[in-house]
Amino acid sequence: HVGERVVPKRARLVFGDVVAGYAHSAVAPGAGLAASLVALSGGDVAGVGAAEALDAVAKRAAMHAVASSPKYLSPDLVPADVLDAERAVLVDQLVDSGKPQNIVDKIVAARLAKFADESSLASQVHVVEEGKKTVGAVVAAALPGLEVAGFALCKVGGDEDN
């Protein structure tokens, strides 16, 4: 009991076979300036017998989420209107480049794909793990068939949803 009226601004639910969280700059157990939950699903989670190992993988993914602030779970879930807005910015940047239209189209397509990857948890290069593996690849390496099923990211003072 804190003796103050507390009104939550937002709440998130994540569902999966394994759910782990991470609170950065912890001010109390489970409370910090930024926090995330990551849910993993798939594979033979019940038969693994190594719950601590899967919890550790999920926690490292949650740490990554706090560090990298992804907006989407995977590139295919980036909304079309977000991609259209990014495409418009990219085209504006290249319109006066003097490049032929077919080259501009290829550049825009490549940069849009990179934008979607960098905005998506499963496609981001894992900042906690060694090497250049994506979060999705690190999770899949822990157990065949395992994948990131969902995540929630909250920051103090942040109003954006993921």
Side-chain angles (χ1 to χ4, degrees), residues 18-114:
V18 177
V19 177
Y22 172 73
H24 186 70
S25 297
V27 294
L33 298 179
S36 67
L37 292 172
V38 171
L40 309 179
S41 290
D44 186 13
V45 175
V48 168
E52 292 90 20
L54 292 179
D55 285 341
V57 170
K59 181 174 181 173
R60 286 192 306 274
M63 292 170 74
H64 169 90
V66 168
S68 296
S69 300
K71 300 252 186 251
Y72 311 101
L73 181 60
S74 62
D76 57 320
L77 295 176
V78 178
D81 61 324
V82 172
L83 290 174
D84 290 343
E86 184 68 17
R87 181 181 292 109
V89 169
L90 293 171
V91 169
D92 283 348
Q93 290 174 352
L94 295 169
V95 73
D96 294 328
S97 67
K99 293 179 175 24
Q101 187 61 42
N102 65 329
I103 299 298
V104 169
D105 292 343
K106 287 180 183 180
I107 292 170
V108 168
R111 288 187 184 172
L112 273 179
K114 183 177 179 182

Side-chain angles (χ1 to χ4, degrees), residues 106-158:
K106 287 180 183 180
I107 292 170
V108 168
R111 288 187 184 172
L112 273 179
K114 183 177 179 182
F115 169 79
D117 284 344
E118 291 175 346
S119 301
S120 304
L121 177 62
S123 297
Q124 289 179 331
V125 175
H126 204 301
V127 298
V128 179
E129 296 294 320
E130 296 293 322
K132 299 275 185 188
K133 291 183 180 179
T134 64
V135 173
V138 169
V139 168
L143 178 67
L146 191 66
E147 61 185 22
V148 182
F151 78 103
L153 175 63
C154 295
K155 295 185 178 186
V156 171

